[in-house]
Amino acid sequence: MELIKINHLTVNVAAKKLFEIASLGINSKQKIGLIGNNGVGKTTLMKLIADISNPSEQIKATGSITRLCNWAYVPQLLNAQDKSGGQREKLAISRAIAQLRNAPKALLLLDEPTSNLDFEQQKWLINLIRGLKSSCLIISHDQHFLNQVCDTIWCVKDQRVITFKGTYSEFKRAQEKQAARVQLEYNEQEKHLNQLKASFKRHAKQAGSFSHPKKHISSSDWRSKSLGKVKAANNVARATKNLSRRIEKEAKTLTRPVFRKQITLKNGAAQMKNEAIAPKSKALRLNPQKVVAYHKLLFTIEQEVNLTYQNKLILTGANGVGKSIFLKELFKRKLTGFYHPQLQIGYFTQNIIKLQSDQTVLEAIMKSSIFATSVTMQVLGDLHLWQIRHQKIENLSGGQLVCFNLARILTGKYNLLLLDEPTNFLDLEALAALVDFIAAYPYALIIVSHDRSFIEQLGLPKWMINHQRLSTKVAASKQSSASNDNNLELLKFQRDQLMLNPEASVTKIKQLTAEIEQLQNH
């Protein structure tokens, strides 16, 4: 049963076409993931379906959207980087579902619902949507989430909406196969064009041989002796002209496929050598201490924590445990410990502060970048800042400002980056580029993220804040060893007590002895 019907829809923003849809629909129980690069019109499309208009937006839409259902819309929760962000998101989604509970035909519209959710809250949302009988249209850049809940993908690209029945991973594989076919076709066309150009050169050379007399022969004698070759000369000239036309025509239709080059961070590694900082030297060492905020204990660093200039890691933990506070305190150097004299910390946070600057995006980034010009330009392109490179920083929108701040921190004169949820405002292409950047980055990084696919792609070691403790791999190993020692002593005590009891079970004593031996051999 069709819930939404879209026909001949064309959407323009400030007299520029955003996208067009010939025919599209949403059916009962369908779970649709709406994806695409930032700025292509995903939220605009969702708002049009939800019949929400904003007078301040210069949006003009022609065509029709027929709504044959009840619907509820949950917008993206922006600037909610506090401990209650996830709870606020859960509450908004729960209210929307309650609003649709008694509707026989219902559609839930969610814009980036996982941005503020930790892993447990994401699991809650995945199970919730899976169990819903309502249809869903969900804007998301979270690949894991899309794979878990969506059976259909809508991709806004090149001013149209591509539809695909299947999971996001299946859609991605189909797109990769299509890209491979396009590349193969391009290679064949390019090969044929080169053959035509080679043939043209041969014909042009042959035509030239007909038009020039040989040495020591007058022009009149040459023409009289070459009358039989005039026809051949004319044929060659016509063939050359035809080849020229074919080459011009095929060259116009030959379009090189767009693909992203793998990033190489030139200059950065050289700067490290210039500063005489060995990669394995300590960037910082944190003493055991309590981390407190607003007169409340968040967690304890129980063991000494070391970070070298080549360490890259993920900091995980539920919302509210203190991850962002930890990065902030580290940036301000308020945590007690040793900080290398040449340590330069770059700190990215989602909190948007409007910058008053006459500088353009390009001027500001180029002034502070430690990398080669080509690399810096590529980062601007990856974060979709290239098209606004000549725009003044003070005129940037909120989303553009977040991407500018991220680009400024990534390319800046730092050797330790603290990145707090850098993926929230990035589309899927920018996310893939960020993974490449981090893999190639020559310095230390600590990243806070709840994006499972992003974390899996990075494959970095993890620190975790759990049960009010910061656990690193080394610390966790020591804690595990200490726990084993405690268990061993307890089991020995229990066995000794049983051996002193004449009524104790021999089987139980043997069982405890086996457990003791197992721990001793561990």
Side-chain angles (χ1 to χ4, degrees):
M1 183 185 300
E2 203 163 36
L3 307 182
I4 300 290
K5 293 181 180 179
I6 303 174
N7 287 305
H8 306 294
L9 181 68
T10 300
V11 179
N12 295 280
V13 175
K16 180 182 178 183
K17 186 167 79 171
L18 199 56
F19 58 82
E20 61 181 351
I21 299 171
S23 179
L24 199 58
I26 300 176
N27 298 315
S28 296
K29 299 182 180 179
Q30 203 171 12
K31 305 292 193 294
I32 303 170
L34 179 54
I35 66 172
N37 287 347
N38 289 336
V40 296
K42 301 185 299 295
T43 297
T44 299
L45 176 57
M46 181 170 281
K47 285 182 177 180
L48 288 170
I49 292 172
D51 199 21
I52 294 172
S53 60
N54 187 344
S56 65
E57 295 176 341
Q58 297 177 309
I59 296 174
K60 182 181 179 182
T62 59
S64 65
I65 300 177
T66 306
R67 303 168 185 85
L68 305 170
C69 61
N70 294 86
W71 67 90
Y73 169 60
V74 180
Q76 185 177 7
L77 183 60
L78 299 175
N79 301 327
Q81 302 306 312
D82 55 22
K83 61 183 179 181
S84 63
Q87 292 301 322
R88 286 166 59 191
E89 188 77 47
K90 282 185 68 175
L91 181 60
I93 294 170
S94 298
R95 283 175 175 170
I97 291 172
Q99 180 183 330
L100 299 172
R101 183 164 294 144
N102 298 321
K105 295 186 290 184
L107 173 64
L108 180 63
L109 303 162
L110 304 177
D111 192 348
E112 292 287 2
T114 63
S115 292
N116 299 288
L117 304 184
D118 60 29
F119 293 140
E120 286 302 314
Q121 291 166 338
Q122 288 177 30
K123 190 185 297 182
W124 164 83
L125 182 58
I126 288 169
N127 291 333
L128 185 70
I129 292 176
R130 280 177 170 177
L132 279 181
K133 294 182 180 179
S134 307
S135 297
C136 296
L137 178 63
I138 307 167
I139 296 174
S140 181
H141 296 133
D142 189 319
Q143 299 170 63
H144 173 78
F145 176 73
L146 288 167
N147 277 322
Q148 292 295 312
V149 302
C150 295
D151 54 38
T152 305
I153 298 297
W154 288 2
C155 178
V156 185
K157 186 177 183 180
D158 299 328
Q159 298 182 327
R160 63 192 183 95
V161 179
I162 303 167
T163 61
F164 179 85
K165 288 189 176 181
T167 65
Y168 170 75
S169 290
E170 291 168 341
F171 169 77
K172 188 177 179 182
R173 284 194 292 270
Q175 290 289 296
E176 288 170 351
K177 288 181 180 178
Q178 174 65 15
R181 285 194 295 270
V182 170
Q183 182 67 51
L184 183 62
E185 289 173 4
Y186 171 81
N187 292 341
E188 291 297 323
Q189 289 176 338
E190 187 179 40
K191 182 180 178 181
H192 184 250
L193 184 60
N194 289 334
Q195 289 172 344
L196 288 177
K197 288 179 178 178
S199 181
F200 173 80
K201 286 181 180 179
R202 288 195 301 271
H203 280 76
K205 185 177 181 181
Q206 190 178 1
S209 68
F210 286 116
S211 59
H212 297 286
K214 294 181 180 180
K215 290 181 178 181
H216 311 299
I217 299 177
S218 67
S219 297
S220 58
D221 288 343
W222 182 79
R223 282 195 298 271
S224 65
K225 292 179 180 180
S226 303
L227 288 175
K229 298 182 180 180
V230 171
K231 186 176 181 180
N234 290 336
N235 289 338
V236 171
R238 280 195 298 271
T240 304
K241 193 172 184 179
N242 289 335
L243 279 170
S244 178
R245 288 172 179 168
R246 286 182 64 186
I247 289 169
E248 185 179 357
K249 183 178 179 181
E250 292 199 19
K252 286 180 180 179
T253 61
L254 186 66
T255 304
R256 184 183 294 274
V258 178
F259 68 95
R260 182 184 176 275
K261 294 180 180 179
Q262 193 80 6
I263 198 164
T264 303
L265 298 183
K266 300 172 185 176
N267 289 11
Q271 175 151 327
M272 179 179 278
K273 291 177 182 176
N274 293 339
E275 292 177 350
I277 300 174
K280 292 186 179 181
S281 64
K282 287 181 183 177
L284 60 88
R285 181 187 68 246
L286 298 178
N287 299 332
Q289 59 195 287
K290 297 182 185 299
V291 178
V292 178
Y294 310 110
H295 308 291
K296 176 187 174 184
L297 174 65
L298 294 175
F299 63 90
T300 302
I301 302 174
E302 296 183 339
Q303 312 256 344
E304 183 180 277
V305 174
N306 294 292
L307 190 77
T308 72
Y309 279 105
Q310 65 178 184
N311 286 149
K312 301 176 186 178
L313 57 95
I314 303 287
L315 178 62
T316 66
N319 281 343
V321 297
K323 303 185 300 297
S324 295
I325 294 292
F326 176 71
L327 293 190
K328 187 176 180 180
E329 295 291 287
L330 198 57
F331 171 64
K332 293 182 176 180
R333 308 190 186 213
K334 288 188 175 181
L335 299 175
T336 59
F338 163 79
Y339 295 83
H340 193 282
Q342 291 175 293
L343 179 65
Q344 298 293 326
I345 303 176
Y347 174 45
F348 171 78
T349 174
Q350 292 280 344
N351 293 329
I352 299 172
I353 300 174
K354 199 69 176 176
L355 299 176
Q356 299 299 320
S357 174
D358 285 336
Q359 281 189 313
T360 65
V361 169
L362 185 61
E363 288 169 347
I365 297 294
M366 291 304 299
K367 183 178 180 181
S368 62
S369 179
I370 62 172
F371 298 109
T373 300
S374 59
V375 173
T376 307
M377 297 297 187
Q378 186 173 355
V379 171
L380 288 175
D382 289 337
L383 297 179
H384 308 304
L385 294 169
W386 181 250
Q387 59 269 33
I388 60 166
R389 63 189 181 280
H390 298 307
Q391 192 168 324
K392 289 186 177 181
I393 296 167
E394 61 187 9
N395 296 328
L396 297 180
S397 67
Q400 290 170 339
L401 191 57
V402 169
C403 289
F404 166 76
N405 284 334
L406 180 58
R408 184 171 56 85
I409 296 300
L410 291 178
T411 60
K413 298 174 181 177
Y414 308 111
N415 44 39
L416 168 60
L417 298 187
L418 308 177
L419 307 179
D420 193 357
E421 296 287 0
T423 66
N424 279 0
F425 284 85
L426 302 186
D427 55 44
L428 293 166
E429 288 186 7
L431 277 170
L434 182 58
V435 170
D436 288 347
F437 183 95
I438 290 171
Y441 192 69
Y443 308 134
L445 291 141
I446 301 178
I447 305 166
V448 169
S449 178
H450 291 128
D451 188 320
R452 288 179 183 272
S453 296
F454 176 68
I455 291 172
E456 288 171 5
Q457 289 175 67
L458 290 176
L460 298 177
K462 296 182 181 67
W463 288 2
M464 175 178 283
I465 300 175
N466 193 25
H467 302 303
Q468 293 188 312
R469 291 200 305 268
L470 173 66
S471 300
T472 67
K473 187 175 180 180
V474 175
S477 174
K478 290 180 179 178
Q479 289 166 8
S480 176
S481 177
S483 177
N484 285 344
D485 291 342
N486 292 336
N487 289 336
L488 184 62
E489 293 303 315
L490 178 61
L491 289 173
K492 285 181 177 179
F493 174 78
Q494 290 175 343
R495 184 188 62 178
D496 292 343
Q497 292 296 311
L498 285 175
M499 292 179 70
L500 293 173
N501 185 357
E503 298 179 3
S505 167
V506 175
T507 303
K508 182 64 176 176
I509 293 173
K510 288 182 178 180
Q511 181 183 343
L512 287 172
T513 302
E515 290 180 22
I516 290 167
E517 290 174 352
Q518 186 177 0
L519 278 176
Q520 286 175 330
N521 295 329
H522 183 69

